[in-house]
Amino acid sequence: HRELLGVAELGYWVRSSAVGNGYITEGLAAVSQWAHSRLGIRKLRCAANEASLQFVRRLGFVELCRARRGGVERIDMCADLTSDGLHPG
């Protein structure tokens, strides 16, 4: 589909003992900058849960939709990339 060109899905995980050290922020910023500059990616999508929702919103992701499957809620998020990647806000 033409509308999916330039769109990539991003997944991440961090162990609970590493939360709060900035690893996800640093990693997502680097990956988004690389994806935009090297691959021409214009939008990043990710699936969030309640625990990571506030975090991905700070990086510029906006909520697209929510779905519940098997008792687990999935929140689909999307971010437009600038020429220099995601920006924590």
Side-chain angles (χ1 to χ4, degrees), residues 55-62 77-80 86-89:
F55 167 76
V56 295
R57 280 186 175 146
R58 277 198 324 259
L59 288 172
F61 283 81
V62 295
M77 307 291 288
C78 186
D80 287 320
L86 295 172
H87 293 283

Side-chain angles (χ1 to χ4, degrees), residues 31-68:
V31 167
S32 69
Q33 184 176 12
W34 175 82
H36 181 78
S37 65
R38 300 291 177 122
L39 302 177
I41 299 299
R42 295 175 290 107
K43 291 182 184 273
L44 277 180
R45 293 179 63 137
C46 75
N49 57 30
E50 285 297 330
S52 63
L53 186 59
Q54 185 177 29
F55 167 76
V56 295
R57 280 186 175 146
R58 277 198 324 259
L59 288 172
F61 283 81
V62 295
E63 188 173 322
L64 298 175
C65 66
R66 291 178 181 237
R68 184 169 290 281

